[in-house]
Amino acid sequence: MSSGESGRTESASKTFYASSDDTKICVVMVGLPARGKSLIAGKALRYLAWVGISARIFNVGTYRRKLSPHPLANFFDPHNPEGEKMRWAAAEAAVSDMLKWFKESNGVVGIFDATNSTKQRRAWIHKTCTEAGIETLFVESSCDDEEIIMHNILEVKTTSPDYKGQDPEVAAQDFRNRIRNYEKVYETIDDDEKSYTYVKLINVGSTVIINQIKDYLSSRLVYYIQNLHIKPRSIWLSRHGESEFNLTGKIGGDSDISTRGEAYARALPGLLKQSGVPPGAKLTIWTSTLKRTIQTARHLAAETGYDKLEWKALDELDSGVCDGLTYEEIAEKYPEDFAARDEDKYNYRYRGGESYRDVVIRLEPIIMELERSDNIIIVTHQAVLRCIYSYFHNMSQEQSPWMEVPLHTLIKLTPRAYGTEEQRFKANIPAVSTWRGKGSSAKHQDPVDGTQPNH
Amino acid sequence: MSSGESGRTESASKTFYASSDDTKICVVMVGLPARGKSLIAGKALRYLAWVGISARIFNVGTYRRKLSPHPLANFFDPHNPEGEKMRWAAAEAAVSDMLKWFKESNGVVGIFDATNSTKQRRAWIHKTCTEAGIETLFVESSCDDEEIIMHNILEVKTTSPDYKGQDPEVAAQDFRNRIRNYEKVYETIDDDEKSYTYVKLINVGSTVIINQIKDYLSSRLVYYIQNLHIKPRSIWLSRHGESEFNLTGKIGGDSDISTRGEAYARALPGLLKQSGVPPGAKLTIWTSTLKRTIQTARHLAAETGYDKLEWKALDELDSGVCDGLTYEEIAEKYPEDFAARDEDKYNYRYRGGESYRDVVIRLEPIIMELERSDNIIIVTHQAVLRCIYSYFHNMSQEQSPWMEVPLHTLIKLTPRAYGTEEQRFKANIPAVSTWRGKGSSAKHQDPVDGTQPNH
């Protein structure tokens, strides 16, 4: 749609999720300690923030620590009345804050992160939320794979604030005792809770049971959760090699890569190897459908034999009527739009083109598939890479469109229990910088002269 | 991307699903008679055809009828050796044809539609497929809701070829006896089949169990199946009222509706009522984000109080550089593209814009949500409406882009067990016709002079 309309700044994400405009959901985590509940909660939060849904985690452990910072395992014994009382008080405080947040801060998804291990506790939460006009979605994570549980105990829980400064061995033993105390009373979600909306994850991702999903937002969230896995893997991100358009400062288009871009394409297999690919790992190469990404991945595919996949969803942000222009030309032809874009770059939609928000929406299936997948290397474009990167690093919508992603650089992301590890590998091949600061209409230029123009 | 590239005709759907390029899947239906297996199989087939995946149903009943056209219930008694033998022969013939189809016709998803009610039978299919390099996805439909079962028995099975020409009462009784014979040996998929990839649907859509999904195509197919429900409902489709651009023969844009378009918007609530809305039913109105659909739905929303939802995915096919031009202008400016579009309209991608195939891909979430939803009225655009319509009527990719969808007409679709019922309601408000025949570049014109131009 290139004519007759000005660059709109409507909320496309709000549009996408509008059916949930009046839906408020409390996601209630359920499961024994060390079953990955907080990991799932954290990922769901990141996903929701990324698609523009107001969400927040209410972790009962955090509230309990205010009352009892370093409890030993017997604190969690169901026959210990004092421990029981404090844990109940912590749960009540968390729920009370959550309800307040729904009401006063217009929250949409509150994630109630605790073991919620008895039917009685779940019935209480369900009743409390229902009375406040909030839907509940129970997410139970159960696990009988000893290796996964031990991994969680060692990697996550010994770094818990509960055991700060303690010997990891002693902490792990105490934590195993704590789990045993929970096991005494643990009740899995079963048939007499059929009226609840729930999803049960058995050994994260291998079996999933879904019950009574009612609204659109829950359906999307459950689909996201059912795609999660916790096998170790990495995701590599790269922009295409320098393109002919980059050289002339034009945006968009479907130009070939330049001579220096071709040099980067040839260097990419070595760069990937240098970044550390696990022995025997089989990566998959994802590109957009545009020539500059396919050309950049060409040698990598040929030398490694990795499978290649072209996604239209990975194509660059569509700059509509500005496609093929330089920033100078845009500033001259569409001065108001140019200023409006600087004002709110995330929401600014090019006349006849897309906003960052639009790109995030079309990238949603990519994120779903990334969560399902093992090792992936993605060769794509500046704006698209920013959106994917912001998902992994939980960057704000204000920040992400301004983030610098240099050409001829490979980024390796490795998801961990809390957050994503990052390493960058620079090929020693010069390229123009395409980063543009707010308010500037400088042409793309060689970084040697210090100017930093941008898409 | 409007510059430097010509109208491409690549297979975006192939791109979208490329990870499945070498994946072949046998979907094995499992369940007692009258549990909606054939309904699910038929819907899955329609969905796959719509996204461009080569799929086919192999119904064992059809093979069995060649050997025994009108068997009585005792034919299905597990202790009847003759019946058992024939049913086994039918299953073998169906599987053999399926394997042949995978091999010789490059089939991607074969749907094996039978009761497959014993573990032994499922192990045999799994082994046979695995040996042929084909993955299996078991889809079990179980149902303890007597109302749904009776509904299936009466509406579907008394129209079965098995009971052709027979008294429906007698047929229904015999069919119930047949089900009893199956129940004697029926084994649900359980824990010792955990190594299979499967999805269990309990009371279609209310509870879903998903196990060991491995590849992208299975993941999409399972997500589709888990969204299905069988509650009765209708879907209404309408184009926006006549727009200012329609009047001048321009395509695309974001113009207002014309005076006649406004008259249609005012007539729409009455037209919907006339089409028959179930008493007490609460519809939801979906529009695109473009003015002409929002304006068209305005009075409907105001008069009924139905919820409204704007979807960017429902925006008109993006005609890229041709946006805002008339067909005459396009034929003059881009004669080769104009001819190429006539040649293969489904795959033709406007320079810097979209093809019908692209539109189908972005409509996939809309179809998923439509399957999950109850009564919906969609006010959208010609090309988008064609794509949605073709999903419900299983129209070919060759036909759908040429289908006539007149302005100022409401289409009511009601999904039935086999296929979709359709009624059309014309508002008595004149509008230009926007249908264009192959090879013609005629302007949009009033239908009174008989010319039929088109988007």
Side-chain angles (χ1 to χ4, degrees), chain A residues 1-5 8 10 12 14-20 22 194 198 202 205-217 219-220 222-223 226-227 245 251-254 289-292 307-312 315-325 349 352-354 358 361 365 368-369 372, chain B residues 1-5 8 10 12 14-20 22 194 198 202 205-217 219-220 222-223 226-227 245 251-254 289-292 307-312 315-325 349 352-354 358 361 365 368-369 372:
Chain A
M1 313 288 143
S2 58
S3 60
E5 79 188 55
R8 290 176 291 169
E10 303 161 25
K14 209 180 146 206
T15 299
F16 187 63
Y17 278 102
S19 58
S20 67
D22 42 13
K194 277 272 176 202
Y198 64 77
I202 300 156
S206 85
T207 307
V208 181
I209 300 171
I210 299 162
N211 190 63
Q212 304 284 10
I213 304 300
K214 280 169 202 117
D215 62 282
Y216 181 58
L217 180 53
S219 139
R220 299 305 301 179
V222 165
Y223 184 54
Q226 80 190 55
N227 281 320
F245 262 37
I251 67 169
D254 189 16
T289 68
L290 298 171
K291 284 191 284 185
R292 55 197 186 277
D307 284 343
K308 270 189 313 180
L309 210 55
E310 291 170 23
W311 297 84
K312 192 172 151 57
D315 282 1
E316 181 56 311
L317 185 149
D318 185 349
S319 44
V321 293
C322 296
D323 187 278
L325 303 181
R349 186 181 281 162
E354 293 178 302
D358 293 335
I361 289 171
M368 295 285 188
E369 189 56 13
R372 278 186 16 82
Chain B
M1 314 289 140
S2 58
S3 60
E5 77 187 58
R8 290 176 294 167
E10 305 160 22
K14 208 177 148 209
T15 299
F16 188 63
Y17 277 103
S19 59
S20 68
D22 42 12
K194 276 273 178 202
Y198 64 77
I202 300 157
S206 85
T207 307
V208 181
I209 301 171
I210 299 162
N211 189 63
Q212 304 285 8
I213 303 300
K214 280 170 203 115
D215 62 284
Y216 182 58
L217 180 53
S219 141
R220 299 306 301 180
V222 165
Y223 184 54
Q226 80 189 55
N227 281 322
F245 262 37
I251 68 170
D254 189 17
T289 68
L290 298 170
K291 286 191 282 186
R292 55 197 185 276
D307 283 343
K308 270 190 313 180
L309 209 55
E310 292 170 22
W311 296 85
K312 192 171 151 59
D315 282 1
E316 181 56 311
L317 185 148
D318 184 349
S319 43
V321 292
C322 297
D323 188 276
L325 303 181
R349 185 181 282 163
E354 293 179 301
D358 293 334
I361 289 171
M368 295 285 188
E369 190 54 14
R372 277 185 16 81

Side-chain angles (χ1 to χ4, degrees), chain B residues 109-387:
Chain B
V109 180
I111 305 177
F112 187 63
D113 186 13
T115 54
N116 298 309
S117 48
T118 63
K119 291 184 187 187
Q120 192 198 0
R121 175 62 60 96
R122 296 193 288 269
W124 170 71
I125 296 164
H126 182 259
K127 185 167 172 281
T128 308
C129 286
T130 305
E131 285 171 359
I134 294 155
E135 288 179 24
T136 47
L137 166 62
F138 292 90
V139 177
E140 178 173 4
S141 179
S142 72
C143 187
D144 52 21
D145 183 328
E146 275 303 320
E147 207 181 318
I148 295 177
I149 297 170
M150 278 314 293
H151 179 267
N152 282 348
I153 289 176
L154 290 172
E155 187 165 310
V156 183
K157 294 301 175 175
T158 57
T159 64
S160 155
D162 283 355
Y163 296 110
K164 209 179 164 178
Q166 292 188 30
D167 177 69
E169 282 297 310
V170 178
Q173 187 50 50
D174 182 84
F175 192 65
R176 274 192 290 269
N177 291 337
R178 184 195 293 193
I179 294 174
R180 253 171 237 129
N181 275 323
Y182 273 105
E183 281 168 348
K184 289 177 196 164
V185 292
Y186 188 72
E187 297 165 304
T188 188
I189 296 178
D190 71 13
D191 278 355
D192 52 334
E193 289 170 287
K194 276 273 178 202
S195 64
Y196 298 163
T197 294
Y198 64 77
V199 49
K200 290 174 80 157
L201 302 171
I202 300 157
N203 296 330
V204 192
S206 85
T207 307
V208 181
I209 301 171
I210 299 162
N211 189 63
Q212 304 285 8
I213 303 300
K214 280 170 203 115
D215 62 284
Y216 182 58
L217 180 53
S218 301
S219 141
R220 299 306 301 180
L221 192 52
V222 165
Y223 184 54
Y224 175 78
I225 289 171
Q226 80 189 55
N227 281 322
L228 297 179
H229 72 77
I230 48 173
K231 284 168 271 175
R233 52 87 177 252
S234 292
I235 290 147
W236 288 262
L237 304 176
S238 173
R239 293 176 63 189
H240 54 80
E242 183 186 71
S243 74
E244 295 291 347
F245 262 37
N246 290 154
L247 285 176
T248 51
K250 289 179 184 168
I251 68 170
D254 189 17
S255 66
D256 293 316
I257 53 178
S258 70
T259 312
R260 298 193 295 196
E262 173 65 16
Y264 177 67
R266 290 195 179 277
L268 194 52
L271 208 57
L272 178 67
K273 205 172 165 190
Q274 181 200 330
S275 79
V277 175
K282 196 140 179 59
L283 277 71
T284 307
I285 305 167
W286 292 1
T287 68
S288 75
T289 68
L290 298 170
K291 286 191 282 186
R292 55 197 185 276
T293 65
I294 295 167
Q295 290 170 358
T296 303
R298 188 171 48 190
H299 301 295
L300 179 63
E303 288 180 28
T304 59
Y306 295 152
D307 283 343
K308 270 190 313 180
L309 209 55
E310 292 170 22
W311 296 85
K312 192 171 151 59
L314 290 174
D315 282 1
E316 181 56 311
L317 185 148
D318 184 349
S319 43
V321 292
C322 297
D323 188 276
L325 303 181
T326 66
Y327 282 112
E328 270 180 329
E329 290 165 341
I330 298 172
E332 204 183 291
K333 267 183 103 162
Y334 307 102
E336 281 165 39
D337 291 86
F338 197 75
R341 188 160 197 252
D342 269 9
E343 194 57 45
D344 184 0
K345 196 173 175 186
Y346 186 82
N347 288 304
Y348 174 80
R349 185 181 282 163
Y350 275 110
R351 295 180 190 227
E354 293 179 301
S355 64
Y356 272 82
R357 190 182 286 279
D358 293 334
V359 172
V360 159
I361 289 171
R362 72 160 145 97
L363 282 175
E364 209 212 8
I366 295 281
I367 293 299
M368 295 285 188
E369 190 54 14
L370 264 182
E371 286 298 347
R372 277 185 16 81
S373 302
D374 293 335
N375 296 293
I376 305 283
I377 175 165
I378 305 177
V379 181
T380 181
H381 307 265
Q382 179 164 261
V384 172
L385 200 151
R386 281 177 177 147
C387 292

Side-chain angles (χ1 to χ4, degrees), chain A residues 4-256:
Chain A
E5 79 188 55
S6 64
R8 290 176 291 169
T9 60
E10 303 161 25
S11 161
S13 174
K14 209 180 146 206
T15 299
F16 187 63
Y17 278 102
S19 58
S20 67
D21 263 357
D22 42 13
T23 307
K24 288 174 183 296
I25 301 173
C26 174
V27 174
V28 185
M29 302 307 300
V30 176
L32 290 167
R35 262 60 178 182
K37 290 188 305 299
S38 297
L39 176 73
I40 296 162
K43 284 202 147 192
L45 182 78
R46 192 144 61 75
Y47 167 73
L48 290 165
W50 187 71
V51 294
I53 305 276
S54 161
R56 191 154 149 189
I57 294 175
F58 296 86
N59 181 295
V60 174
T62 309
Y63 286 81
R64 189 259 306 142
R65 265 187 287 279
K66 288 179 200 160
L67 307 168
S68 171
H70 304 291
L72 292 178
N74 68 351
F75 178 88
F76 300 92
D77 187 328
H79 306 298
N80 174 346
E82 206 204 336
E84 185 72 7
K85 204 177 131 192
M86 269 191 210
R87 285 156 54 215
W88 177 247
E92 277 191 316
V95 165
S96 157
D97 277 3
M98 182 176 69
L99 294 183
K100 204 173 147 200
W101 172 80
F102 272 121
K103 210 172 163 183
E104 294 176 7
S105 309
N106 231 344
V108 177
V109 180
I111 305 177
F112 188 62
D113 186 12
T115 54
N116 298 308
S117 48
T118 64
K119 291 185 186 183
Q120 193 198 358
R121 175 62 60 96
R122 295 192 289 267
W124 169 71
I125 297 165
H126 182 259
K127 186 166 171 280
T128 309
C129 286
T130 305
E131 284 169 2
I134 294 155
E135 289 179 23
T136 47
L137 165 63
F138 292 90
V139 177
E140 179 174 4
S141 179
S142 71
C143 187
D144 51 22
D145 184 326
E146 276 303 320
E147 207 183 318
I148 296 177
I149 298 169
M150 279 312 294
H151 179 266
N152 283 348
I153 291 176
L154 290 173
E155 188 165 310
V156 184
K157 294 302 175 176
T158 57
T159 66
S160 154
D162 283 355
Y163 296 109
K164 208 177 165 182
Q166 293 189 30
D167 177 69
E169 281 298 309
V170 178
Q173 186 50 49
D174 183 84
F175 192 64
R176 274 192 290 267
N177 291 336
R178 183 196 294 193
I179 294 173
R180 252 171 238 131
N181 275 323
Y182 274 105
E183 280 170 349
K184 289 177 195 163
V185 292
Y186 188 73
E187 297 166 305
T188 187
I189 297 178
D190 70 14
D191 279 356
D192 52 336
E193 290 171 285
K194 277 272 176 202
S195 64
Y196 298 162
T197 295
Y198 64 77
V199 50
K200 290 174 80 156
L201 302 171
I202 300 156
N203 295 329
V204 191
S206 85
T207 307
V208 181
I209 300 171
I210 299 162
N211 190 63
Q212 304 284 10
I213 304 300
K214 280 169 202 117
D215 62 282
Y216 181 58
L217 180 53
S218 301
S219 139
R220 299 305 301 179
L221 192 52
V222 165
Y223 184 54
Y224 174 77
I225 290 171
Q226 80 190 55
N227 281 320
L228 298 179
H229 72 77
I230 47 172
K231 282 168 272 173
R233 52 85 179 252
S234 293
I235 290 147
W236 288 261
L237 304 175
S238 173
R239 292 177 63 191
H240 54 80
E242 183 187 70
S243 73
E244 295 291 347
F245 262 37
N246 289 153
L247 285 177
T248 51
K250 290 180 183 168
I251 67 169
D254 189 16
S255 65
D256 292 315

